[in-house]
Amino acid sequence: MPTGAKEHMVWIEISLNILTGILYISQEERLEVDKIQLYSTEVSSTAEISETAVVMIYISINNKGKLKTYEETMRLNRTVVTEFLLLGFSTSPERQILLFVAVLAVYMVTVVGNLLIILVTLLDSTLHTSMYFFLCNLSALEVGYTSVTVPKMLLSLISGNKRISFTSCAVQMFFFLCFGITESSFLATMAYDRYVAICNPLFYPMIMNKKVCVLLAATSWTIGIPAQAVQTSLVFTLPFCSSKKINHFFCDSAPLLLLACADTSMNETLTYMVVAFFGMVPFALILLSYIRIIATIIKMTSVEGKRKIFSTCSSHLIVVALFYGSGIILYLQPRSSEFPDSGKLLSLFYTVLPAMLNPFIYSLRNREIQTALRRHMWNKLFPCYS
């Protein structure tokens, strides 16, 4: 610490001790003085200590010599935040244009591909089964998942306007995290559907009836709302410091917590608990389902039956690997003081690539989807080649 800073520290301590003696404060108030002194030691620069010294002594004499509490003292350093700045990727203008074109192309393919899956599933009566009902919901989810973050990112890249209001930031974070939990739940539901169809085929129509499917889908869509409402409110009721620059391309909990002026250990603990419960529990159910499916496949004698089951399940397994692989690396990595560009790239991969690849994975590896696409799309668009 510089010599001037040490002199200011001594002045703060002497002044507070004098005030303590003059005001004849109680033991509880003496504890508040100790807290203020402890806060002063956390300030590193001479200029900051000078300002802190003036503020601390000024606020100490109030209401006929009574000390304000430590919480009231800390409130002076908080900034009322009405908007944030999403810094995005630190690239040159030329690279920003290339990034805009690439992300726009991926987003359009994602939206069109998933909407195509939804349309074909609704039009073709042969696809009106529980498996394709959940696939239709997953495709709708992917459109929403990418639309929460990507349009704002594209707007920032093309216009240079990186501002996002406080409320919009909270809404974006809430829906992004909710949709993440919803996707995890749908992937587990689809694994359970495959388990029942393969391991209990005789009871499959009775177990996975229309009512059960609707109930499972509704649960998947809403299960994350209470937890993410709590998590989002806890983040956005934190006091934020003077900096309002979010070193990311969307509002996520990790970079937002770096801007907080208060202890964020409870928020971090809650994040890990949510990831553990809503991420790892569905993953464990998926793992258990496929262990039972593999055990059933081993006992089968029909090569054609094994091939059909493998073709159906492999698509789902690829999607699970993409979603959980990137998600685990993204959210279970150690938190740093700066959110590196590698973390942003991983977030971009986690946000857009699985959603874009899902329609290709399910259509290219699924004969029923291919047949439905030819019947309803290709033959109508190109009747000469049908």
Side-chain angles (χ1 to χ4, degrees), residues 283-331:
F283 182 72
L285 293 175
I286 293 171
L287 214 58
L288 183 61
S289 296
Y290 276 102
I291 289 172
R292 298 295 299 273
I293 289 172
I294 292 170
T296 302
I297 292 174
I298 292 172
K299 297 176 184 177
M300 293 179 66
T301 56
S302 171
V303 177
E304 181 63 24
K306 288 182 179 181
R307 188 200 62 78
K308 187 176 180 180
I309 292 172
F310 178 77
S311 176
T312 303
C313 295
S314 60
S315 301
H316 182 254
L317 282 173
I318 293 171
V319 173
V320 169
L322 282 171
F323 178 78
Y324 279 100
S326 55
I328 288 171
I329 296 171
L330 177 63
Y331 285 102

